[in-house]
Amino acid sequence: MERSPGQRGWYLSARWQRDEEADEDGESAPLLPPPPPAGSVRDTPSRGSSFGFSVFNLMNAIMGSGILGLSYAMANTGIMGFSILLLIVASLASYSVFLLLSMCTQTAVTSYEDLGLFAFGSTGKVLVATTIIIQNIGAMSSYLLIVKSELPGAVAGFLNGDESGFSNRSWYLDGRLLLLLTSVCIVFPLALLPKIGFLGYTSSLSFFFMVYFALVVMIKKWSIPCPLPLSSAIETLQVSNSTGDCKAKLFHLSKESVYAIPTMAFSFLCHTSVLPIYCELRSPSKRRMQYVTVTGIGLSCLIYFMSALFGYLTFYDKVDSELLQGYSRYLPHDTVMVTVKVAVLFAVLLTVPLIHFPARKAVLMVFFCHLPVSWICHILVTLTLNTIVVLFAMYVPDIKNVFGVVGSTTSTCLLFIYPGLFYLKLSREDFLSPQKLGACALVIFGICVGLLSLVLIIFNWVDQ
């Protein structure tokens, strides 16, 4: 029987108090009820996901389009500067998951939105849902930006040429037109499906494609000479007036450095998927899920660092904000890079509808919860979301802008601010306890970094 919000709040408060009395530290307290006795009707031989499969699911939730912008972040912070920032963001992401697990273990809440409801009532739930909507719109836009920039080159590759070898009037090499066609013919029909569970399996291929991409980046470092081949007289003049084009910088600071932390925050955001993975974990407990989190974030951090490092050591200060563009320029006919492009594009087209699903669910929950479920509402919301995403992807000039704005706002909120804020609200520990002080520091870090990054990004736009 469905509980009213008041009944649910009373039930969760009672559950919180009962669990606090039963298990002070909560390290081994399960989120789910204990399994039925052996031999009962509900008894199953292998309930839940294994540790390894849960790590894979978490890494699949973490890794996405952000990997294409991390080399640009390293070029504008230096190898050591990037390494320090990456380690800080990864550590804070792991710590914020720990705070979420601490709250969920005691409240029995199994979704980010319900955690906002339990902490701040309906206002908190709407705030979290709205943040997830904006975050997912940004994520989908970043994926479709890849389609706009890489699909023309892939088409030209299949036609045994490159983009410069065809007439500028060739419609099949117009990135915006190709984006519109693929969105109408592939993304929108898949997003219309009421249940797209099968896309969960196919989109898991995107994780392997990203790992494949990282391996190719490492291998292709020796296929592009340094100094880079010059394509124009302007580049020749620039190179002649500069030194150290093939020298890596340990620390570097420029106006583009402001995109580094937002891009990393965008790349490590997995917090909306942590709770479902927790619920599906075999013998779920906070300690066991913490091991899953540390392993998943640690391995993702390693893959991110290696791809960023070798991408930077390939192009140095000429690295593009979307790494694949550099390979399109200097290795336009390389067969391996063509396969990477096709793999990434395939992953993008199957992942966008999957990201669309929770965004649509959040829109329906926030704006249409009072209306009965209907196909008309389903189609209109799907069409509206897809239209917004396509318009963003068509007219945003650079993927770094998506990483910067979304990373400094919604990603920062979901990654740092909300977990710390919810813990400060819900935890009954003394304010001077280590966990509450850590939560407070997490909130302050998120607010300061998010606001500072956003302001500097806006000033950067105005200055251009």
Side-chain angles (χ1 to χ4, degrees):
M1 182 177 68
E2 185 70 21
R3 293 183 175 89
S4 66
Q7 291 174 321
R8 179 175 177 80
W10 174 88
Y11 167 76
L12 292 177
S13 297
R15 171 66 183 266
W16 177 288
Q17 184 175 7
R18 184 187 66 202
D19 284 351
E20 252 193 330
E21 294 172 353
D23 188 356
E24 287 295 329
D25 61 3
E27 291 296 328
S28 59
L31 175 62
L32 302 178
S40 65
V41 177
R42 294 173 55 200
D43 186 29
T44 54
S46 59
R47 180 183 178 184
S49 301
S50 65
F51 177 87
F53 196 73
S54 297
V55 170
F56 166 76
N57 284 339
L58 185 63
M59 293 181 67
N60 187 39
I62 293 172
M63 299 189 66
S65 57
I67 195 174
L68 300 179
L70 290 176
S71 292
Y72 185 77
M74 180 178 284
N76 289 284
T77 54
I79 295 177
M80 290 301 299
F82 176 89
S83 302
I84 294 171
L85 291 176
L86 189 72
L87 184 60
I88 291 174
V89 173
S91 300
L92 292 179
S94 182
Y95 179 68
S96 62
V97 171
F98 167 76
L99 295 182
L100 288 178
L101 296 176
S102 298
M103 291 178 285
C104 294
T105 298
Q106 305 227 17
T107 62
V109 168
T110 57
S111 74
Y112 214 138
E113 296 92 335
D114 284 339
L115 195 57
L117 174 65
F118 188 68
F120 295 102
S122 58
T123 302
K125 184 174 184 178
V126 170
L127 183 62
V128 173
T130 304
T131 307
I132 291 175
I133 292 170
I134 299 173
Q135 169 69 33
N136 285 9
I137 287 176
M140 289 187 285
S141 299
S142 71
Y143 279 115
L144 292 185
L145 270 167
I146 297 171
V147 174
K148 183 181 74 173
S149 62
E150 298 301 332
L151 188 54
V155 172
F158 279 113
L159 295 176
N160 297 319
D162 56 49
E163 295 175 70
S164 61
F166 294 90
S167 170
N168 292 331
R169 299 179 182 177
S170 301
W171 64 269
Y172 46 82
L173 295 180
D174 186 332
R176 290 183 177 179
L177 183 57
L178 291 177
L179 169 63
L180 184 61
L181 288 175
T182 53
S183 299
V184 171
C185 299
I186 299 176
V187 176
F188 182 68
L190 292 176
L192 272 177
L193 298 175
K195 295 182 179 180
I196 52 175
F198 77 95
L199 286 179
Y201 298 100
T202 54
S203 68
S204 296
L205 292 174
S206 65
F207 168 76
F208 294 105
F209 291 151
M210 294 304 171
V211 174
Y212 175 54
F213 165 79
L215 292 174
V216 171
V217 168
M218 295 169 63
I219 295 171
K220 289 299 178 181
K221 185 257 180 290
W222 289 274
S223 298
I224 298 179
C226 192
L228 295 171
L230 303 178
S231 58
S232 66
I234 296 178
E235 284 192 27
T236 304
L237 180 62
Q238 290 175 341
V239 171
S240 63
N241 292 333
S242 62
T243 58
D245 288 330
C246 295
K247 183 178 180 181
K249 299 175 182 177
L250 295 181
F251 292 96
H252 181 61
L253 187 63
S254 69
K255 64 178 183 179
E256 300 296 315
S257 303
V258 68
Y259 292 96
I261 291 183
T263 301
M264 294 176 190
F266 187 96
S267 301
F268 277 105
L269 185 63
C270 60
H271 294 49
T272 56
S273 302
V274 164
L275 303 185
I277 293 173
Y278 184 12
C279 293
E280 295 173 2
L281 181 64
R282 187 180 303 161
S283 302
S285 67
K286 188 175 74 173
R287 189 188 301 274
R288 185 172 170 81
M289 188 61 197
Q290 282 177 224
Y291 292 150
V292 171
T293 301
V294 171
T295 304
I297 291 180
L299 291 175
S300 299
C301 184
L302 177 62
I303 295 173
Y304 278 159
F305 176 77
M306 296 305 294
S307 61
L309 177 64
F310 281 87
Y312 171 55
L313 294 179
T314 301
F315 300 106
Y316 295 93
D317 57 338
K318 299 296 189 298
V319 66
D320 289 275
S321 58
E322 195 266 89
L323 187 57
L324 281 176
Q325 293 179 0
Y327 295 101
S328 300
R329 184 180 305 113
Y330 296 106
L331 294 175
H333 307 296
D334 188 89
T335 303
V336 176
M337 292 311 304
V338 171
T339 63
V340 170
K341 285 185 182 180
V342 173
V344 170
L345 290 171
F346 178 76
V348 163
L349 291 176
L350 290 179
T351 303
V352 170
L354 194 66
I355 301 175
H356 173 92
F357 188 76
R360 180 179 62 217
K361 180 181 178 181
V363 169
L364 293 173
M365 180 185 69
V366 172
F367 299 104
F368 302 101
C369 59
H370 59 285
L371 297 178
V373 179
S374 67
W375 269 104
I376 295 178
C377 186
H378 177 90
I379 293 173
L380 289 177
V381 172
T382 302
L383 180 61
T384 301
L385 282 175
N386 276 273
T387 301
I388 294 172
V389 170
V390 170
L391 288 176
F392 271 126
M394 289 180 68
Y395 294 104
V396 171
D398 202 324
I399 197 171
K400 72 178 182 183
N401 295 324
V402 176
F403 292 153
V405 174
V406 177
S408 61
T409 54
T410 56
S411 297
T412 301
C413 287
L414 294 170
L415 193 66
F416 305 125
I417 299 176
Y418 290 169
L421 199 60
F422 293 166
Y423 192 86
L424 290 174
K425 173 68 175 179
L426 297 175
S427 176
R428 298 182 181 182
E429 298 175 4
D430 184 78
F431 184 77
L432 296 179
S433 66
Q435 294 302 336
K436 273 208 168 181
L437 289 176
C440 186
L442 196 66
V443 173
I444 294 173
F445 176 84
I447 293 175
C448 292
V449 169
L451 286 178
L452 181 62
S453 298
L454 184 61
V455 170
L456 291 177
I457 287 170
I458 293 174
F459 275 129
N460 197 13
W461 291 347
V462 174
D463 190 48
Q464 287 179 349

